[in-house]
Amino acid sequence: MKNINVLLLLCILLTACANGSNTPSNAAPEIAPPPAVTATPPPKQTGYTPSIELSECPFSLPQELVQGLDLECGYLVVPEDRTQPDGRLIKLAFAIFHSPDPADSQVPLVYIEGGPGVSALKPLQYSFGKISSFLGQNDLILFDQRGVGLSQPALDCPEHLDFIDRSLEQFLTTEEISSQTSQAFLECRSRLIEEGIDLKMYNTEQSAADLADLQTALEIPSWDLYAVSYGTRLALEVMRQYPEGVRSVILDSVVPPQADQISEAISNIDTSLQSFFVTCQQDPICHQAYPELENLLFDLVEALNAHPVQVPVANLLTGKQYNAVLDGNGFLGVVIKSLYSAEILPMVPMMVYETAQGNFTKLSSLRSNFLTNTAFLSSGMYYSVLCHDEAPFSDLDTVASNLKQYPKLSGFFETSLANSPNTFAFCEQWDAGQAPPVQSQAVESSLPTLVLAGQLDPSTPPAWSRLAADSLENSTYLEFPGIGHTPSLSHPCPNSIARAFLADPSQPPESSCSKEIQLSFLVPQDLANLNFIPVEVSEYNIQTMAPEGWIAVKPEYYISPDQMVELVFSKNETDTQQDFLMTWGVGELMESATINGLSWDIYPIRQPELKVAGYMAVSPEEENFYFVLIVGAEELEEMLYKDVFVPVLQAFKLSTAMVP
């Protein structure tokens, strides 16, 4: 069956004290004014000239954007190895989105994506809505780093994706998962080497030089850097080596080079989880609805490790569906990944409780979302950066010792090739070289810098962002309560603060809105006591009612605040009615009725394997027919019908202009 909520989650993701402290690391008068727009471009390496090749945009354009008018695309062409300028050339894909209201003195903003290995361009049709908020009076530049996404070559590992595809429905031991994962990636490495790719040239140092070359080739004298997650590590290296052409910097969810990313991973996750449990416990609504959340979670992890289950999972890009095996460590991974997203965080306690009760609806949606996102990661680049930049400055004994301190979490790392004792042996085989020691040291800079952190971030904790800010002379550090990874892409408050900083980097931005941020957890809603408000779908001249307080994803599509129910009232202009009904797997006709001059056939929807039930009403025309649809948890079946579906259907009518 179709799951509309899964599609919503795809759009979401296509990412510590709780007091919301906004204390700047330096007082405003000490911040130096930004350099003039006519600043001299940064010095570049000699022996080659970076060049630009304009091209058709190699990705699906966001809606209503026109290439040549709203944006232009191309490739930066540079040597793979800058010490061999006459050797292999590589191409870095970029896109320049033009400001609809350009400033007189324009300073472009370049967005630096994370990962390492996450593409900024491939998922743009899903993610542009978040990033486009920074397209104000200045152009916005997006690019795929070397080895990533649409750049050539991309260090993708389809061998690992094939392993995931084969193994999702298999009951594998921890040892089998670890061994077969390593084998898949080493097969990927062998293929990349056979293709002539030098893995020692795919790392932060080379990517920083690429950014400097991109600035030169585009003839941009000065720009702003906006970096998230691992992208902050790259931006810091640009600040270290190529600061001359940078006006200001935003670092959101920082990976500081002086932190031991591998050994600290497990303590970072524990800190995030403990903050999350405390946040729920201190919230009266969450605590009442989900008491003993921590104990229930880890009891469930233990039970699922002993007796794995199978849950429906779908790849939202390919449409392939799986009856995927889920053990406790896999379930814990879903919880941890969910802490990244401000949109998903509120539903995590409910998801844990529902899973414990055998209701896998939310769990299936989240696993589908995370599975789909693997298509946008060039995992070969991830390991090249990890093995070159991080592994040489960590050690096996420290990592193993740290894992012993957190026995409830250690199982989650047992199959991982990253941030675990497995990392070091794997990196020896990956053979990506070693960064110079300076790249493991703190970056010192006087550039105006805004440093942002989310209180609940499991991968780049506030402590890391504070650590980075300590050596940035003109930095302002802000921490946001109740938010996980990349606050500026997750919540209107940090987003507005970041945009205010870009408007005037010489002053710390006004940040009082952060005091109003509160994590509102989803709790089961009482469908019997809903209030309804009039709503309209003007595209189809539909007038009806919708429950007050429900999330209006679209004018015709509503989700209950607890994410348990989805309601749609619309007109189908693409499918025949027979195909539409078959798609939703409706049962036998329940009844026919005439309401407000429209004839309706009403059908039940039952999906016991998904623990989902609902109802559908369709007008009898074979094509271009109206419909009302409601689906939700099967235990709500009776209330879905009498408390939501019937009131909405009884209020459904066409505006006067459409009535014959």
Side-chain angles (χ1 to χ4, degrees):
M1 108 176 227
K2 293 181 179 177
N3 189 319
I4 305 173
N5 201 15
V6 167
L7 298 179
L8 172 63
L9 289 172
L10 177 61
C11 295
I12 290 174
L13 291 174
L14 252 243
T15 113
C17 300
N19 60 7
S21 171
N22 300 319
T23 306
S25 60
N26 291 281
E30 298 296 323
I31 297 181
V37 175
T38 56
T40 303
K44 303 299 185 298
Q45 300 200 30
T46 59
Y48 69 94
T49 301
S51 62
I52 296 294
E53 292 182 1
L54 295 179
S55 70
E56 292 292 319
C57 293
F59 52 85
S60 297
L61 291 179
Q63 195 173 17
E64 298 181 357
L65 293 185
V66 178
Q67 182 172 344
L69 179 64
D70 303 302
L71 78 162
E72 47 189 328
C73 296
Y75 294 91
L76 171 71
V77 183
V78 294
E80 180 182 60
D81 182 352
R82 287 179 167 82
T83 67
Q84 304 292 329
D86 296 327
R88 178 190 180 101
L89 297 178
I90 62 174
K91 296 182 177 183
L92 278 64
F94 69 86
I96 302 176
F97 294 84
H98 297 301
S99 167
D101 183 24
D104 292 336
S105 299
Q106 190 177 88
V107 180
L109 175 67
V110 58
Y111 173 75
I112 308 176
E113 184 57 272
V118 174
S119 172
L121 296 177
K122 285 176 70 173
L124 206 56
Q125 59 181 317
Y126 307 113
S127 61
F128 188 69
K130 292 185 176 184
I131 303 172
S132 63
S133 62
F134 290 91
L135 187 59
Q137 290 189 306
N138 301 323
D139 287 351
L140 175 63
I141 302 174
L142 273 62
F143 74 106
D144 276 349
Q145 299 159 30
R146 64 166 53 201
V148 174
L150 298 175
S151 291
Q152 302 172 7
L155 273 57
D156 296 340
C157 283
E159 296 85 353
H160 181 244
L161 297 181
D162 289 344
F163 164 67
I164 293 175
D165 182 73
R166 295 192 311 270
S167 65
L168 271 175
E169 296 183 335
Q170 297 179 11
F171 289 84
L172 300 177
T173 65
T174 297
E175 292 75 16
E176 288 172 333
I177 295 173
S178 179
S179 173
Q180 293 182 37
T181 300
S182 177
Q183 180 181 350
F185 276 119
L186 291 177
E187 289 174 358
C188 174
R189 179 192 181 277
S190 296
R191 176 183 51 78
L192 294 174
I193 297 298
E194 290 176 1
E195 293 173 0
I197 295 171
D198 184 353
L199 296 179
K200 294 182 175 65
M201 293 296 111
Y202 292 82
N203 49 64
T204 303
E205 181 179 25
Q206 294 301 322
S207 291
D210 291 335
L211 265 171
D213 282 343
L214 180 64
Q215 187 173 11
T216 292
L218 293 176
E219 299 182 348
I220 298 173
S222 181
W223 63 10
D224 296 317
L225 306 181
Y226 169 38
V228 300
S229 194
Y230 160 76
T232 63
R233 173 72 178 81
L234 175 51
L236 284 164
E237 196 60 33
V238 173
M239 295 168 71
R240 191 201 309 268
Q241 296 195 45
Y242 308 99
E244 295 87 351
V246 179
R247 185 185 74 136
S248 69
V249 183
I250 297 174
L251 302 175
D252 186 346
S253 305
V254 185
V255 180
Q258 66 268 43
D260 188 340
Q261 179 178 330
I262 298 174
S263 70
E264 295 177 35
I266 193 166
S267 60
N268 291 344
I269 289 174
D270 181 72
T271 298
S272 174
L273 282 169
Q274 293 304 318
S275 293
F276 181 71
F277 296 142
V278 169
T279 302
C280 178
Q281 188 176 32
Q282 293 178 344
D283 182 284
I285 295 176
C286 185
H287 182 60
Q288 181 178 0
Y290 313 111
E292 301 295 329
L293 177 61
E294 180 178 3
N295 291 337
L296 179 64
L297 170 62
F298 287 110
D299 286 348
L300 187 54
V301 169
E302 184 177 354
L304 287 172
N305 277 333
H307 302 285
V309 296
Q310 289 184 281
V311 300
V313 173
N315 185 315
L316 306 180
L317 295 179
T318 66
K320 186 170 182 178
Q321 298 185 3
Y322 307 84
N323 196 20
V325 174
L326 179 78
D327 63 9
N329 296 326
F331 176 69
L332 182 59
V334 172
V335 173
I336 291 168
K337 291 176 183 178
S338 298
L339 298 182
Y340 281 65
S341 169
E343 293 90 346
I344 297 175
L345 265 168
M347 74 171 72
V348 173
M350 178 177 283
M351 186 269 290
V352 172
Y353 266 68
E354 287 181 358
T355 301
Q357 296 164 2
N359 182 347
F360 302 141
T361 302
K362 289 185 178 60
L363 175 64
S364 295
S365 294
L366 292 174
R367 283 199 78 191
S368 298
N369 188 59
F370 300 144
L371 173 64
T372 303
N373 284 342
T374 60
F376 305 124
L377 174 67
S378 296
S379 50
M381 182 62 177
Y382 175 89
Y383 284 106
S384 288
V385 172
L386 180 76
C387 295
H388 181 274
D389 294 358
E390 303 296 337
F393 306 105
S394 185
D395 67 90
L396 175 61
D397 291 342
T398 301
V399 174
S401 175
N402 285 358
L403 289 181
K404 290 180 181 179
Q405 297 180 43
Y406 304 96
K408 291 183 178 180
L409 300 178
S410 59
F412 172 69
F413 289 86
E414 287 180 358
T415 60
S416 174
L417 297 182
N419 306 322
S420 76
N422 300 327
T423 302
F424 303 96
F426 176 79
C427 281
E428 287 185 7
Q429 295 176 287
W430 192 262
D431 192 22
Q434 178 173 328
V438 67
Q439 289 186 34
S440 68
Q441 299 172 9
V443 172
E444 298 180 356
S445 174
S446 60
L447 289 170
T449 306
L450 178 64
V451 182
L452 307 176
Q455 173 213 355
L456 301 177
D457 191 337
S459 63
T460 56
W464 278 9
S465 292
R466 290 194 297 268
L467 182 65
D470 285 344
S471 60
L472 302 178
E473 179 184 344
N474 292 324
S475 65
T476 297
Y477 169 77
L478 300 175
E479 183 178 323
F480 299 92
I483 295 180
H485 204 50
T486 58
S488 65
L489 294 177
S490 304
H491 193 280
C493 172
N495 180 275
S496 65
I497 292 172
R499 288 184 285 112
F501 170 78
L502 292 172
D504 183 7
S506 67
Q507 297 292 326
E510 203 282 325
S511 58
S512 60
C513 65
S514 64
K515 299 177 182 178
E516 307 300 323
I517 296 176
Q518 184 175 359
L519 180 54
S520 298
F521 292 96
L522 299 181
V523 296
Q525 187 172 27
D526 182 6
L527 297 181
N529 293 293
L530 294 174
N531 293 320
F532 288 84
I533 57 174
V535 294
E536 182 176 358
V537 184
S538 57
E539 181 180 0
Y540 300 126
N541 293 82
I542 294 172
Q543 296 175 347
T544 186
M545 296 193 304
E548 185 176 17
W550 283 30
I551 303 166
V553 180
K554 296 180 179 179
E556 68 274 19
Y557 173 32
Y558 285 75
I559 300 177
S560 63
D562 61 3
Q563 310 284 311
M564 297 282 283
V565 184
E566 301 176 57
L567 171 67
V568 184
F569 34 82
S570 188
K571 185 178 184 180
N572 187 294
E573 297 180 316
T574 58
D575 303 316
T576 66
Q577 188 170 119
Q578 182 179 4
D579 288 343
F580 188 70
L581 294 175
M582 289 180 61
T583 297
W584 282 96
V586 301
E588 295 293 327
L589 177 68
M590 287 176 53
E591 61 177 308
S592 298
T594 300
I595 302 172
N596 298 324
L598 288 173
S599 297
W600 297 98
D601 292 335
I602 301 173
Y603 299 87
I605 297 173
R606 303 288 183 271
Q607 297 288 342
E609 70 279 8
L610 297 177
K611 298 185 181 298
V612 166
Y615 298 89
M616 178 183 291
V618 292
S619 58
E621 288 79 6
E622 180 60 21
E623 297 179 348
N624 297 325
F625 54 91
Y626 297 96
F627 69 93
V628 176
L629 166 71
I630 191 166
V631 290
E634 61 183 4
E635 64 266 22
L636 302 175
E637 179 180 338
E638 182 178 347
M639 289 186 290
L640 288 176
Y641 185 76
K642 68 182 182 66
D643 294 322
V644 187
F645 182 75
V646 169
V648 171
L649 184 60
Q650 288 179 339
F652 190 107
K653 62 182 180 180
L654 302 181
S655 64
T656 305
M658 291 292 292
V659 175

